[in-house]
Amino acid sequence: MSIFRLPLVLMCLLQLTACQLYEYGALQLNNQMVDPEWQTPDQQSTVPLSLLQNLPMVALEINGKAMRFVVDTGASSSVLLETAATLDLDLNKVGELSISGAGEGFDSVAHVVDGVTIQVGTVQLEGLRFVYIPFNQIALFDHPDEVFFDGILGIDILKKFAVKFDYDEMSFHLAASNLPFATDDWYESELDFVGATPFIQLQVQYTKNASPVLMDLLVDTGSSQYLALTVNPEKDITLPLSYVPGTGVGVTGEITSRITTLENLEIGNRQMRSLPVSLTVSGGPEDSKDGVLGNQTLSRFNQVYDFENKRVWLQANRKMHQAAVVDRTGMGLISHPAGALVKRILSGSAAANSELIVGDIIKSINGIDVTRTNYDQLRHGMNEPDQATADLCWERAGNNQCDSLTLFVPLVTELSLR
């Protein structure tokens, strides 16, 4: 069985020259000096939260222009991508960086830009520096229409606030002090920072016969995975012999992995069994210690972060009992203004046995038109364990076709909780 996945893992800034280290240090120092300007006396701001490609998205303004950003706790710096929206900005480039990220391929060249003002609801920060990545330096996308977000809100901005992700209310909150929440049903944990990025220590049991071990996991809302573990024989984490092959694209190229089923992940009083877990064979992110706790797991919790005091609180939400699924079609899809764009098809998969080819745009799934609003819901529903087939209609060169895909036996039948 072969499954394609398209994780969106943000880059790490690596192997910088002395000049580039100066530029990156100046960026971080500049942003540390910028204080939030509140427009309401309660010093709180709330904006709608949405999910696309299993990533948390918020609408905000950059230099007065409306933008769509991923909120990424795993990103050390905030980022602007070259998109139709950001091309309208008058950006002042003050430096250059070479960046490496998840994926085996080329090192990308990015710029440092200054004079950035960001507005999130009723709070504003003026005079920031961002990393700016030209479109042709991102291996994730082949065409500007594929880029579904304009930038990334990273830790350099988030750490100035108490931050709350509320997936029950689908809202994102920033506050000058800790937000109120019910302490009796929230799990509190310490955060450890490696460089600028936060890690949480959780108990993981990899296989049925393995002993549970404490692992340091990167808290990464910018990863669309459930969980990724680093191969480490000392902690009994080895490449699985029974697995689903995974292939994806990082910022700078290809990622290959093996996807299997985790015995147990303990978060507070939640025992999360049968969770899909990815082990990277090549091209994975560096400096992630024991692994990455991705947003498909994190979004099952409402989250409050106090980065200054290195604390996080988690509360299970209504998504907790959704089935945890992996792709069973063999397609790598990405959200597109016209539907879902087919980026890759794995040999021997359900998609490979159909008339679909790379570049087709899927217009409907099981009779429902695909939009950016329902993209994640339709993708998840198509891969649920009780689905044997998926009826797809797609467009190619102005012509419409339809077919029914016979799906693979699911790797994960359900997410069991204790």
Side-chain angles (χ1 to χ4, degrees):
M1 188 192 306
S2 296
I3 299 294
F4 176 84
R5 61 186 176 85
L6 185 67
L8 292 164
V9 183
L10 185 63
M11 83 290 179
C12 304
L13 298 174
L14 302 172
Q15 300 176 336
L16 302 182
T17 67
C19 181
Q20 290 171 338
L21 280 170
Y22 172 80
E23 294 292 354
Y24 182 61
L27 179 153
Q28 293 288 327
L29 180 61
N30 176 86
N31 290 352
Q32 288 176 17
M33 303 295 289
V34 176
D35 293 323
E37 299 175 13
W38 296 95
Q39 297 165 358
T40 55
D42 63 356
Q43 295 191 326
Q44 294 192 26
S45 179
T46 301
V47 296
L49 177 67
S50 62
L51 284 169
L52 185 57
Q53 302 273 170
N54 294 305
L55 298 172
M57 313 285 290
V58 296
L60 49 77
E61 291 184 0
I62 298 291
N63 294 359
K65 304 287 186 181
M67 304 278 169
R68 186 178 177 89
F69 268 50
V70 173
V71 185
D72 188 351
T73 58
S76 60
S77 297
S78 295
V79 175
L80 283 165
L81 303 181
E82 183 184 346
T83 66
T86 62
L87 283 173
D88 288 338
L89 300 174
D90 185 17
L91 298 174
N92 181 36
K93 297 175 182 177
V94 295
E96 189 173 277
L97 298 171
S98 175
I99 60 173
S100 299
E104 288 192 323
F106 61 93
D107 281 351
S108 301
V109 176
H111 303 280
V112 176
V113 297
D114 69 1
V116 177
T117 297
I118 185 171
Q119 178 94 25
V120 186
T122 57
V123 65
Q124 178 177 281
L125 295 98
E126 186 175 356
L128 296 167
R129 289 190 174 191
F130 272 47
V131 176
Y132 178 78
I133 308 180
F135 174 78
N136 62 6
Q137 298 295 306
I138 310 171
L140 279 168
F141 308 112
D142 298 316
H143 190 275
D145 284 348
E146 300 173 19
V147 186
F148 58 90
F149 58 100
D150 301 299
I152 295 158
L153 197 60
I155 283 291
D156 57 337
I157 305 300
L158 295 174
K159 68 182 180 183
K160 297 177 181 294
F161 306 97
V163 178
K164 182 178 182 180
F165 296 84
D166 190 330
Y167 284 99
D168 285 321
E169 300 294 332
M170 292 307 294
S171 57
F172 177 70
H173 305 257
L174 298 174
S177 59
N178 288 340
L179 299 171
F181 55 88
T183 58
D184 57 346
D185 60 347
W186 288 75
Y187 167 63
E188 182 181 0
S189 177
E190 184 177 357
L191 293 173
D192 180 36
F193 278 77
V194 176
T197 50
F199 285 75
I200 189 172
Q201 192 170 79
L202 297 175
Q203 188 162 272
V204 177
Q205 184 179 359
Y206 180 44
T207 64
K208 184 176 182 179
N209 295 325
S211 299
V213 293
L214 287 174
M215 292 193 175
D216 294 307
L217 303 174
L218 175 65
V219 181
D220 193 356
T221 58
S223 167
S224 61
Q225 302 176 90
Y226 289 94
L227 178 69
L229 294 180
T230 302
V231 173
N232 184 352
E234 292 184 1
K235 293 189 175 182
D236 293 326
I237 306 299
T238 58
L239 288 174
L241 299 178
S242 177
Y243 62 92
V244 173
T247 178
V249 181
V251 172
T252 57
E254 296 289 333
I255 302 169
T256 58
S257 62
R258 297 182 181 183
I259 303 170
T260 188
T261 305
L262 189 74
E263 179 64 24
N264 188 49
L265 172 67
E266 182 176 323
I267 302 180
N269 62 357
R270 296 284 175 172
Q271 308 291 327
M272 303 179 73
R273 297 185 178 275
S274 302
L275 200 68
V277 57
S278 171
L279 289 96
T280 301
V281 177
S282 64
E286 300 185 32
D287 297 332
S288 58
K289 283 195 170 183
D290 293 322
V292 176
L293 186 65
N295 202 57
Q296 287 209 64
T297 298
L298 286 167
S299 63
R300 294 167 184 263
F301 296 87
N302 300 325
Q303 306 149 50
V304 172
Y305 295 92
D306 179 357
F307 294 112
E308 182 179 0
N309 294 305
K310 300 181 180 180
R311 310 300 295 176
V312 62
W313 293 263
L314 302 172
Q315 178 195 52
N317 59 39
R318 59 188 179 187
K319 292 186 61 180
M320 179 58 71
H321 294 282
Q322 281 186 354
V325 301
V326 294
D327 178 75
R328 295 163 55 206
T329 66
M331 289 185 294
L333 298 179
I334 192 168
S335 176
H336 187 276
L341 176 66
V342 180
K343 293 281 289 182
R344 282 171 176 74
I345 295 177
L346 277 178
S347 176
S349 67
N353 295 327
S354 74
E355 297 297 320
L356 282 161
I357 63 172
V358 171
D360 288 345
I361 298 178
I362 295 176
K363 306 293 287 184
S364 70
I365 298 175
N366 293 328
I368 302 175
D369 291 342
V370 181
T371 68
R372 284 190 163 164
T373 301
N374 65 15
Y375 173 90
D376 280 12
Q377 180 183 356
L378 292 178
R379 282 280 287 161
H380 188 280
M382 177 172 61
N383 290 295
E384 286 188 347
D386 59 351
Q387 296 295 311
T389 61
D391 296 327
L392 306 179
C393 291
W394 63 91
E395 180 183 287
R396 181 190 307 159
N399 298 316
N400 295 319
Q401 301 181 56
C402 295
D403 198 2
S404 181
L405 272 64
T406 301
L407 302 176
F408 287 111
V409 175
L411 169 70
V412 179
T413 55
E414 64 179 345
L415 178 63
S416 59
L417 302 171
R418 287 195 309 182

